[in-house]
Amino acid sequence: MTTVAIPASPSDNVQPESGLKRTHDVRLVSTDQKSAPLTVIATISMFVLRFFWLRTGSAMLSRRWVRILPHANDTLLLLTGISLVMITHFYPFTPQGSWLTEKLLGVIIYIALGFVALSRRPRTDRTRWIAFLVALIALVMAIKLALSKMPLWG
């Protein structure tokens, strides 16, 4: 159970209910985010495993579940992120959500470089390795931002 503080406007007439409490000028929203850590672990594991299989030429890459599971997991992760934005009212590209803007940028970099690292298009080993490592760094940056809620670049 995660508690997130949200600035409340003076016009909010929110009554204390289960999961939502009103204090001075902040609403405290409790959100159950048990699926988020599991999907993040699955995302990292599947990305590293798929890259390993690609490098070793494993036939596992052609299995149906390997082609479907990472996309289903990443979709669940995206939906969890969207629901958290809707619950907390922290929006990217706003002063209050600058950390969220940086996190979104990290996720976009991860997706783009993950595509480069894992694509079937012919690429040099050096290009794949650089894309893989920078994608992992971008993912770690996004995780750090999600945990700290403190922007890295101001």
Side-chain angles (χ1 to χ4, degrees):
M1 188 76 79
T2 304
T3 302
V4 180
I6 305 168
S9 66
S11 63
D12 281 349
N13 291 323
V14 179
Q15 298 299 320
E17 299 172 9
S18 63
L20 184 65
K21 299 175 188 172
R22 175 73 188 254
T23 62
H24 304 292
D25 61 346
V26 174
R27 286 185 286 166
L28 296 178
V29 179
S30 297
T31 58
D32 186 10
Q33 295 293 322
K34 292 179 183 176
S35 66
L38 294 176
T39 57
V40 170
I41 291 168
T43 295
I44 295 168
S45 301
M46 287 302 298
F47 181 61
V48 171
L49 192 57
R50 288 169 63 206
F51 187 75
F52 173 75
W53 286 337
L54 179 71
R55 302 303 311 142
T56 59
S58 174
M60 289 295 292
L61 277 176
S62 61
R63 298 235 173 147
R64 183 181 171 119
W65 71 269
V66 173
R67 292 191 319 261
I68 294 172
L69 183 64
H71 302 296
N73 180 66
D74 290 346
T75 301
L76 179 62
L77 192 60
L78 177 65
L79 291 175
T80 303
I82 290 170
S83 67
L84 189 60
V85 166
M86 298 313 236
I87 291 170
T88 62
H89 299 286
F90 283 117
Y91 298 104
F93 308 107
T94 63
Q96 300 88 354
S98 59
W99 65 273
L100 191 56
T101 305
E102 291 179 14
K103 179 182 170 191
L104 180 62
L105 179 65
V107 170
I108 290 169
I109 291 170
Y110 162 71
I111 291 169
L113 292 177
F115 180 76
V116 171
L118 298 174
S119 71
R120 294 181 180 171
R121 292 184 63 191
R123 303 196 192 279
T124 65
D125 286 347
R126 181 175 183 223
T127 301
R128 287 189 191 277
W129 273 106
I130 290 171
F132 174 73
L133 293 174
V134 176
L136 282 179
I137 291 168
L139 192 57
V140 168
M141 180 190 82
I143 293 167
K144 180 180 177 350
L145 286 163
L147 294 174
S148 71
K149 314 262 186 304
M150 297 295 294
L152 299 175
W153 296 302

